[in-house]
Amino acid sequence: MAQVWGEQMLRAGGSVGANYGEAQRGRSVAEHRSKVGDCLREADEALYWMELLELEGCFKPVVIAPLKQEAGELIAIFVSLLRKR
């Protein structure tokens, strides 16, 4: 189970960067907002998988805490970007 969840976490985490790159190249405000929204959803999903993996004991809290904090910070940034426009 942990391997499947870890793979899901990696996919979601990698998707954040890919979607942000697409957002930066957006051809319109609507397209930019849509891709930033995708970033938000993927960052939130990555955080979800991290929390599950931590709860199952796959990661020690001291190891996963910085990653969870960074995911939370990215979520806050994407929310802020979506509220600006």
Side-chain angles (χ1 to χ4, degrees), residues 19-84:
N19 281 306
Y20 188 72
E22 288 183 36
Q24 294 304 97
R25 294 182 298 277
R27 292 169 290 195
S28 66
V29 171
E31 187 175 358
H32 181 267
R33 284 182 56 77
S34 175
K35 286 299 173 182
V36 171
D38 291 344
C39 293
L40 173 58
R41 283 185 291 282
E42 295 293 341
D44 191 48
E45 181 180 340
L47 180 57
Y48 170 78
W49 294 116
M50 285 182 232
E51 290 170 346
L52 279 180
L53 287 162
E54 180 183 19
L55 286 172
E56 288 296 315
C58 300
F59 290 112
K60 294 180 182 179
V62 70
V63 172
I64 199 75
L67 294 174
K68 286 172 51 181
Q69 180 178 344
E70 187 165 344
E73 290 170 0
L74 285 171
I75 289 167
I77 289 167
F78 297 136
V79 167
S80 177
L81 287 172
L82 289 170
R83 287 184 179 160
K84 276 187 175 183

Side-chain angles (χ1 to χ4, degrees), residues 1-13 45 49 53:
M1 186 62 67
Q3 183 175 350
V4 172
W5 291 354
E7 289 171 2
Q8 288 294 109
M9 181 186 70
L10 286 173
R11 276 196 221 39
E45 181 180 340
W49 294 116
L53 287 162

